[in-house]
Amino acid sequence: MKHWRLDDVPWDRFDPARVDPAMIELVKAAAMVERNGTEYARYLNRVFRDDPPFQQAADNWAEEEVQHGEALGRWAMLADPRWDYRAAFERYQTGYKLPFDAPSSIRGSRSGELIARCMVEIGTSSYYSALAEAAAEPVLNEICRRIAADEFRHFKLFYDHLRRYLGRERIGLPRRLWIALGRINESEDDELAYAWHAANEPPALSYGHRRCIAAYMSRAAGYYRFRHVERGVGMVLKAVGLKPRGRLSDAAARLAWRLVQRRRRRFLAEAAALSPAQA
Ligand SMILES: [Fe+2]
Ligand SMILES: [Fe+2]
């Protein structure tokens, strides 16, 4: 069912001279979150327990997410042979638990769950597009392009199911927007921050949320260009049921771009103040 396999990646073209060292840390952290996809599929299977077609789709989706983790992890070990992907992921799994063993969606409805899933796929599709465009190292470039294509397909998958559920659940625009913005905001929670910690920090250093999220976000934000934010905003509007193009989306994209820049500056300042070297 997958659109590509690890063997399709031209690993022998790896060129250490073209590796951007700043990207290695981001790739290591991203590998943690991606590899954790099976955990999320378990939760989705519970939330959609009487919907076998969706459960099947969620299982296929998780397989692709796990493969993203495997590809990024393997690349990171080429770029930094001292790094151990399996050991880092074990640390991640031990220290970070997805905060839901709930029997139904923590978003209050299945439509809400699907809107939240759409937001995550918007985040990942724009992130890997941005990384792919910035990655000069040919293998990483290829991996990020393949992953970005998967993430756009994942958005479409959850969006199609969302439309089906909205037909029966009928939740209004304010609620849809609230869930969407809430999920976007959650990107600053522990999931990414702890991934940064497990993937990049020495075991002797204890986890600090502010330090780790600032380290991750300040670096990641530097790769975004306006076009990535603009496309992401259009997808957010589409997911909540608004027109993805037009005056509203233009204004929202400009606002989102300003927010991304402002947050980046804040995270850069925090990362400098909180970096372990300062402690
Ligand atoms: Fe992914
Ligand atoms: Fe995805």
Side-chain angles (χ1 to χ4, degrees):
M1 298 296 268
K2 286 186 287 199
H3 290 84
W4 54 281
R5 314 195 154 272
L6 282 184
D7 291 343
D8 297 331
V9 175
W11 298 102
D12 55 339
R13 284 178 51 212
F14 178 72
D15 181 355
R18 302 183 75 184
V19 172
D20 168 2
M23 246 185 228
I24 305 176
E25 295 171 305
L26 286 174
V27 167
K28 288 176 181 172
M32 304 292 100
V33 181
E34 297 281 350
R35 178 65 185 74
N36 216 21
T38 35
E39 282 300 303
Y40 211 99
R42 231 169 268 152
Y43 161 75
L44 288 176
N45 267 280
R46 278 200 307 279
V47 171
F48 292 86
R49 57 190 144 324
D50 57 357
D51 185 347
F54 181 82
Q55 289 179 316
Q56 185 59 56
D59 288 341
N60 295 342
W61 160 83
E63 254 186 68
E64 297 196 341
E65 299 298 10
V66 168
Q67 177 165 283
H68 297 170
E70 299 287 312
L72 295 166
R74 186 163 162 184
W75 182 86
M77 286 197 291
L78 282 177
D80 176 5
R82 291 162 312 167
W83 189 67
D84 184 339
Y85 163 59
R86 306 264 159 223
F89 182 64
E90 233 181 85
R91 256 181 97 194
Y92 182 61
Q93 264 199 320
T94 311
Y96 174 74
K97 296 278 174 231
L98 284 166
F100 21 72
D101 30 24
S104 57
S105 173
I106 55 165
R107 312 287 162 190
S109 65
R110 290 182 179 183
S111 304
E113 184 60 44
L114 292 165
I115 290 172
R117 293 323 304 162
C118 284
M119 295 308 119
V120 173
E121 303 299 343
I122 293 167
T124 52
S125 56
S126 23
Y127 184 44
Y128 292 109
S129 300
L131 284 188
E133 285 173 37
E137 197 294 309
V139 178
L140 182 62
N141 180 281
E142 171 90 19
I143 292 170
C144 289
R145 279 194 295 115
R146 286 178 184 271
I147 295 180
D150 283 348
E151 310 295 18
F152 282 112
R153 275 191 294 269
H154 293 164
F155 171 81
K156 166 101 172 57
L157 166 77
F158 291 121
Y159 177 74
D160 288 345
H161 285 279
L162 168 63
R163 300 209 15 153
R164 186 161 64 83
Y165 272 98
L166 278 176
R168 28 181 140 144
E169 292 184 332
R170 303 202 162 277
I171 59 170
L173 177 63
R175 176 86 192 132
R176 295 200 295 264
L177 263 175
W178 179 254
I179 294 168
L181 295 176
R183 184 58 190 88
I184 293 169
N185 222 19
E186 281 169 33
S187 59
E188 292 179 19
D189 288 358
D190 285 327
E191 188 176 33
L192 291 175
Y194 202 87
W196 177 269
H197 173 66
N200 291 305
E201 294 190 331
L205 183 64
S206 60
Y207 173 59
H209 174 260
R210 285 314 307 170
R211 179 187 72 236
C212 293
I213 199 65
Y216 195 140
M217 291 292 183
S218 59
R219 288 165 175 84
Y223 292 104
Y224 286 96
R225 299 293 170 262
F226 178 70
R227 59 182 175 278
H228 306 121
V229 173
E230 189 180 32
R231 186 166 52 183
V233 165
M235 291 163 80
V236 171
L237 293 176
K238 182 174 166 171
V240 299
L242 292 167
K243 265 186 16 192
R245 264 179 286 275
R247 287 234 290 274
L248 173 67
S249 78
D250 288 349
R254 282 196 301 273
L255 176 68
W257 177 244
R258 275 210 301 277
L259 286 175
V260 168
Q261 297 312 308
R262 204 171 68 190
R263 272 187 142 63
R264 181 181 181 221
R265 285 193 296 274
R266 200 190 80 202
F267 280 130
L268 276 169
E270 271 186 39
L274 297 173
S275 92
Q278 300 291 312

Coordinates of all heavy atoms in Angstrom, one line a residue, residues 34 61 65 68 121 124 150-151 154, ligand 2:
E34 N 7.9 10.8 14.0 CA 7.4 10.0 12.9 C 7.3 8.5 13.3 O 6.3 7.8 13.1 CB 8.3 10.1 11.7 CG 8.4 11.5 11.1 CD 7.1 11.9 10.3 OE1 6.3 11.0 10.0 OE2 7.0 13.1 9.9
W61 N -1.8 4.4 7.1 CA -1.2 5.7 7.4 C 0.0 5.6 8.3 O 1.0 6.1 8.1 CB -2.3 6.7 7.9 CG -1.8 7.8 8.6 CD1 -1.4 9.0 8.1 CD2 -1.6 8.0 10.1 NE1 -1.0 9.9 9.1 CE2 -1.1 9.3 10.3 CE3 -1.9 7.1 11.2 CZ2 -0.9 9.7 11.6 CZ3 -1.6 7.6 12.4 CH2 -1.1 8.9 12.7
E65 N 4.0 6.6 8.3 CA 4.6 7.5 9.2 C 5.9 6.8 9.8 O 6.9 7.4 10.0 CB 3.7 7.9 10.4 CG 2.4 8.7 9.9 CD 2.8 10.0 9.2 OE1 3.9 10.3 8.9 OE2 1.8 10.8 9.0
H68 N 8.7 7.0 7.6 CA 9.3 8.3 7.6 C 10.4 8.3 8.7 O 11.5 8.8 8.5 CB 8.3 9.4 7.9 CG 7.2 9.5 6.8 ND1 6.1 10.3 6.9 CD2 7.1 9.0 5.6 CE1 5.4 10.3 5.8 NE2 6.0 9.4 5.0
E121 N -1.0 17.1 9.5 CA -0.5 16.8 8.1 C -0.2 18.1 7.4 O 0.7 18.1 6.6 CB -1.5 16.0 7.3 CG -1.9 14.7 8.0 CD -0.7 13.7 8.2 OE1 0.3 13.9 7.6 OE2 -0.9 12.8 9.0
T124 N 3.2 18.9 8.8 CA 4.3 18.1 8.3 C 4.6 18.3 6.8 O 5.7 18.4 6.4 CB 4.1 16.6 8.6 OG1 2.8 16.2 8.1 CG2 4.1 16.3 10.1
D150 N 3.9 12.2 0.8 CA 3.1 11.4 1.6 C 2.2 12.3 2.5 O 1.0 12.0 2.7 CB 3.9 10.5 2.5 CG 4.5 9.3 1.8 OD1 4.1 9.0 0.7 OD2 5.4 8.6 2.4
E151 N 2.8 13.3 3.1 CA 2.1 14.2 4.0 C 0.9 14.9 3.3 O -0.2 15.1 3.9 CB 3.0 15.2 4.8 CG 4.3 14.6 5.4 CD 4.1 13.6 6.5 OE1 3.0 13.1 6.7 OE2 5.0 13.4 7.2
H154 N -1.7 12.4 3.1 CA -2.3 12.1 4.4 C -3.4 13.2 4.7 O -4.4 12.9 5.2 CB -1.3 12.1 5.5 CG -0.3 11.0 5.4 ND1 0.8 11.0 6.1 CD2 -0.4 9.8 4.7 CE1 1.5 9.8 5.9 NE2 0.7 9.2 5.0
Ligands
FE2 FE 1.6 12.2 7.8

